[in-house]
Structures are given as C-alpha cells and as structure tokens.
Amino acid sequence: MELLDLVLIWAFIIGFGIIMYVLMDGFDLGIGILFPFAPTEEDRDTMMNSVAPVWDGNETWLVLGGAGLLAAFPLVYSTILPALYIGVFLLLAGLIFRGVAFEFRFKANTSRYLWNWSFAGGSTVAAFAQGAVVGAYIQGFEITDGVYSGGALDWLTPFTVLTGFGLLAGYALLGSTWLIMKTEGRLQDWAYRITVPLLLAVLAVFAIISVWTPFVEEMVKERWFSTITIIWILPALTLLCAFQIFRSVRNRSEGMPFVATLGLFIFTYLGLIVSRWPYVVPPDITLWDAASAYESQLFLLIGLVFVIPVVLAYTAWTYWVFRGKVRAGEGYH
C-alpha cells in the first residue's frame, strides 16, 4: 500500500467521522437550541428524553475524527489550532455545559431553570462555534513557513458569524424534524409549525454564503465557476432535499422530514469538501503535505479497522433499542 493510498483512506475515515458527528450530534444540539422555546416544561422533559439514550454515544464520532486527525495529519493541529483556540474552547465549553445539564436537570427541583439555560446555552454556543470554525476554514488561514501567523481573532469575521448562525439554524432544523419523528401530540404539532420557518432560514443563509464564498476565497470561485461541471449536482441535490422537507411537512409525514434534513447536511458537506479538496489547511497545505509518517498511519489504521465496526454496531443497536415514540412521563432517566 502506497502513502498516497493511506492518505486517501485516512481522509475518508476522518471525513466520515466528522459527518457522522455532525449528523448524529446535530439533532441533539438542535434540541438544546430549541429548548427555551418549547411550549411547556413537560415538553422540555420529553425533548430531553428523546435524545438522552444516544447523545453521549453520538459524541464518540467527534473523538474519533479529532484523534484520527491528530494521528494522520499532525501538521493540521500545529497550524490550524493556534488560529482557532478561542473557537475550539467555546465549542468544548458549550459541550461540557450541555453534558452536565443532561445529568443534573432531571435531579434538580428549585434549580431546574438554571440547568435548562445551561443546556440551551451550551448547545447554542457549541453550535455557533462549530459554524464559525467551518467559516474560518472556508476563508482560509494566514500561514507563513508552515506556521500560523495571523491574530487570535482572525477566525471571527462577518463571514464566519454568518456561517455560525447558519449552523445554528441548521441544527435547529435537525432538532425540529427529530421531534416530528420521535414525539406526538402538542409537541409534535409545535415541531411541525417551526420546521418550515427554520428551513427558510437555512436556505436564506445557504444562498448568502453561496454568493459570498467566491469573494472570500479565489480558489473556491475558480473551482465552482471556471467551468460548469458535475459538482453542480451537489447544490441541486441540496435544494431537492429542501423541497422534500417542505413537502413532507405539508403532508405531515413523520420520518421523511428528518431523513431529508440529513440529506441536506450531507450534500452541503460534500460541497464544502469539493470546494477545498485537496487542501486540508487552506490555502496552501495539502493532505500529503500534512500527512504523518507512513508507518504511523499504517499502525493506527490497523487499530481502526477493528474499532470502527464495533462503534457502528453499538450505535445501530442503541438506536434500535430506543426506537419508537417518546411520550410524556416516559424516559431513559
């Protein structure tokens, strides 16, 4: 096996881990974003119970993607992290607050409102930070001789603020469609009502970012607009998923809105990869420039051959065990 093959395999594994995290942790972050707006406290209990059995397992993919990135492409850490220290800190802090709220809220009485805000605030901060970090990746980094030479707040620009709010809306959309699938009655009706406005917000941000991005980075503009190629099928499929969400909500389907929202995220994610491939630290450092030694990649890859199937099997089993509707008064805790 050549180094080229290993790099591509690792790129696929890391990309797979990241998209699994976005899809699987995105809807429970979305639940947190929607938490303050739920009709009643009983509905908030149901919302949290709908994700309580799976939320911590979903974050396994964040660990897998992050650890794999460090092992396979260590140069990424030494160049990107100094540019994103504050954004990554906010992301991790938000996840910590959200995780603590999961465990304490069900036990609290007089202080429950504090844990409600901890859960909602942690989810919102984590989602916004993720979106801003993605925006920083799109706009690129100031690298001099392989070292980040920009400022501590270069990651926070009007463009990255927009991508942060865009991901907030996207995760909220995942959360609302998850509630459509997992709940019933008053809470499900509320989720139906808010899904289309959230979808319109996502599409509005998507349109602005699509217009803005070519002006942020010349390479992206050239990739998409120099010639009309097959990659334009990705935004077309994204819009098709958006139409399917709208139609399935109008028809009061229960599972299809969530599935179509997953598709919307997948095709948007693929569009991001296509825009930057093969640069892992834009605008200059490629996958092969950032790759670790061949022996290191091969050694760790052998371990992941055994780990990933176990994680997939455990995840599938967990979702199967906790399938079906979550009703008021029922829950994992």
Side-chain angles (χ1 to χ4, degrees):
M1 184 179 294
E2 300 291 337
L3 178 60
L4 172 63
D5 300 325
L6 272 181
V7 168
L8 293 177
I9 291 171
W10 270 106
F12 173 80
I13 291 172
I14 294 168
F16 178 74
I18 291 173
I19 190 59
M20 287 293 288
Y21 169 74
V22 168
L23 296 179
M24 301 182 70
D25 207 36
F27 65 81
D28 61 64
L29 282 171
I31 295 297
I33 295 166
L34 297 173
F35 213 61
F37 310 103
T40 67
E41 189 68 15
E42 183 182 54
D43 291 328
R44 280 187 277 273
D45 290 340
T46 305
M47 291 167 69
M48 188 170 274
N49 280 324
S50 73
V51 296
V54 297
W55 75 271
D56 46 355
N58 291 343
E59 293 187 351
T60 301
W61 297 102
L62 178 63
V63 177
L64 178 64
L69 188 64
L70 175 61
F73 305 103
L75 186 60
V76 173
Y77 271 75
S78 64
T79 54
I80 286 185
L81 272 187
L84 300 175
Y85 275 140
I86 297 176
V88 172
F89 171 80
L90 290 174
L91 165 61
L92 295 178
L95 294 178
I96 290 170
F97 271 87
R98 186 176 67 111
V100 172
F102 253 113
E103 302 303 327
F104 280 79
R105 181 182 176 276
F106 284 102
K107 311 299 181 185
N109 292 313
T110 57
S111 63
R112 174 171 285 201
Y113 73 98
L114 294 175
W115 297 115
N116 285 346
W117 284 109
S118 178
F119 180 59
S123 300
T124 301
V125 169
F128 176 82
Q130 284 184 35
V133 166
V134 171
Y137 176 78
I138 293 173
Q139 70 183 10
F141 304 94
E142 188 177 336
I143 306 296
T144 303
D145 298 326
V147 178
Y148 176 67
S149 56
L153 293 177
D154 285 3
W155 65 278
L156 194 61
T157 65
F159 180 76
T160 63
V161 169
L162 178 63
T163 57
F165 281 116
L167 196 61
L168 273 176
Y171 279 168
L173 178 62
L174 270 175
S176 69
T177 54
W178 170 262
L179 290 175
I180 288 173
M181 184 174 65
K182 294 292 290 184
T183 65
E184 57 187 13
R186 176 185 59 209
L187 182 56
Q188 187 188 55
D189 291 338
W190 175 72
Y192 273 121
R193 289 197 301 272
I194 65 174
T195 294
V196 171
L198 286 172
L199 174 61
L200 294 176
V202 170
L203 291 177
V205 174
F206 176 77
I208 296 171
I209 291 175
S210 298
V211 173
W212 196 341
T213 299
F215 297 97
V216 171
E217 175 52 50
E218 187 66 28
M219 192 200 82
V220 176
K221 179 180 181 180
E222 183 177 343
R223 179 71 52 93
W224 283 91
F225 294 101
S226 59
T227 57
I228 303 299
T229 63
I230 195 172
I231 63 174
W232 279 91
I233 196 174
L234 295 174
L237 290 172
T238 301
L239 293 176
L240 181 62
C241 288
F243 173 74
Q244 184 61 36
I245 296 168
F246 176 79
R247 186 175 68 172
S248 57
V249 167
R250 186 182 59 183
N251 295 334
R252 295 193 63 93
S253 300
E254 294 192 336
M256 182 53 67
F258 183 69
V259 173
T261 304
L262 293 179
L264 187 148
F265 268 82
I266 289 171
F267 293 124
T268 303
Y269 178 71
L270 292 176
L272 173 61
I273 293 176
V274 167
S275 298
R276 279 304 191 182
W277 182 266
Y279 295 95
V280 68
V281 183
D284 300 316
I285 300 176
T286 68
L287 287 167
W288 296 275
D289 296 328
S292 60
Y294 174 86
E295 292 78 11
S296 299
Q297 291 199 351
L298 183 60
F299 175 77
L300 293 165
L301 183 62
I302 293 172
L304 285 182
V305 166
F306 296 96
V307 170
I308 290 179
V310 172
V311 174
L312 285 171
Y314 169 78
T315 301
W317 178 76
T318 302
Y319 278 86
W320 173 256
V321 169
F322 293 100
R323 67 192 183 278
K325 296 286 186 179
V326 177
R327 297 175 176 84
E330 300 177 351
Y332 175 66
H333 283 74

